[in-house]
Amino acid sequence: MTNKLEGKVAVVTGGGGGIGRGISLLAAKEGAKVVVADVGKRPDGTKAADSVVQEIVRAGGSAVASYGDVTTMAGGASIIKAAIDNWGRVDILVCCAGTSERTSIFDVTEEQFDRTIAVHIKGHFTVAKAAVPHMAKQRFGRIITVTSRGAFTSIRPAYGTAKAGVMGFTFALANELEPYGITVNSLSPSAVTPQFTTALDKRSGNDGMPRLGLSGDPEY
């Protein structure tokens, strides 16, 4: 590793599993102190965030867990507070918390739709709202949102709408925060995770483009 994040503090929502776990581990390997934020649990009942924190600490890194719910303002604030309380700053925010609601318009319920919007769109807003004042004071910050090609291709209204909303949120923040030394960019990843069982294959076709397949680990 290059230790390119040495001295930085990173917050990763949804950091207890899948792509979020991969990001948390990589940030720690690159020298960042990491807040692993996740409300989920492992099949054995242990907290997902705790498991990733333990992995980081065993490897010689620094990390703490947060169990704040990104769908509430208090939860989002508590996640950022974990970074400030432990290390006095927040430099990087990766919003990876999400759901995989893929019910069709014929069957999706109001509760399912609202929950998907809350986790994806409001879940970006709550932590960004809490982190931005600290980043602006530092005149430095990196915010990374997580969207999906499903914003354009999904046939499931809740998920597709939520991911398209994340893109709009990203553009708005990027335009507003640039004068404060804060950049805002978005990832559109693909990986095999407990939520998504297919992803872009590591192998390419004759045209060099990745193919939809059954491989693609989060670390990749």
Side-chain angles (χ1 to χ4, degrees):
M1 291 293 120
T2 61
N3 289 323
K4 64 178 68 174
L5 300 182
E6 189 72 37
K8 303 299 184 186
V9 176
V11 173
V12 184
T13 70
I19 294 171
R21 172 181 172 273
I23 292 171
S24 297
L25 295 176
L26 180 59
K29 287 179 181 177
E30 289 288 357
K33 300 175 176 64
V34 183
V35 175
V36 181
D38 206 301
V39 297
K41 291 186 177 181
R42 302 280 185 203
D44 63 2
T46 59
K47 293 180 178 179
D50 289 344
S51 177
V52 177
V53 167
Q54 290 165 9
E55 286 187 75
I56 291 172
V57 171
R58 283 197 300 267
S62 298
V64 296
S66 173
Y67 319 112
D69 183 349
V70 296
T71 68
T72 69
M73 297 305 294
S78 72
I79 292 169
I80 301 304
K81 187 175 184 294
I84 301 303
D85 287 351
N86 281 277
W87 300 299
R89 59 187 295 123
V90 56
D91 302 288
I92 302 161
L93 171 62
V94 183
C95 300
C96 205
T99 67
S100 59
E101 179 56 60
R102 287 172 280 179
T103 308
S104 76
I105 190 63
F106 297 99
D107 301 311
V108 66
T109 66
E110 179 181 11
E111 181 181 10
Q112 289 171 325
F113 191 90
D114 287 349
R115 175 65 180 172
T116 304
I117 297 298
V119 173
H120 288 275
I121 300 180
K122 190 175 180 182
H124 278 65
F125 169 72
T126 62
V127 285
K129 175 74 173 175
V132 162
H134 298 285
M135 293 179 171
K137 185 177 181 180
Q138 298 165 181
R139 310 298 292 187
F140 177 87
R142 299 289 182 261
I143 299 175
I144 301 169
T145 69
V146 178
T147 184
S148 168
R149 64 185 184 276
F152 300 106
T153 64
S154 176
I155 61 171
R156 306 310 184 195
Y159 185 78
T161 300
K163 286 306 189 183
V166 168
M167 295 179 67
F169 183 72
T170 303
F171 284 120
L173 257 62
N175 289 330
E176 182 176 6
L177 298 180
E178 187 274 335
Y180 298 93
I182 303 170
T183 64
V184 188
N185 293 281
S186 193
L187 297 176
S188 182
S190 292
V192 174
T193 72
Q195 288 189 10
F196 295 94
T197 56
T198 61
L200 288 178
D201 202 319
K202 298 175 185 178
R203 297 166 297 178
S204 297
N206 293 332
D207 58 0
M209 296 297 291
R211 291 289 181 259
L212 190 65
L214 298 176
S215 64
D217 297 330
E219 290 78 7
Y220 178 74

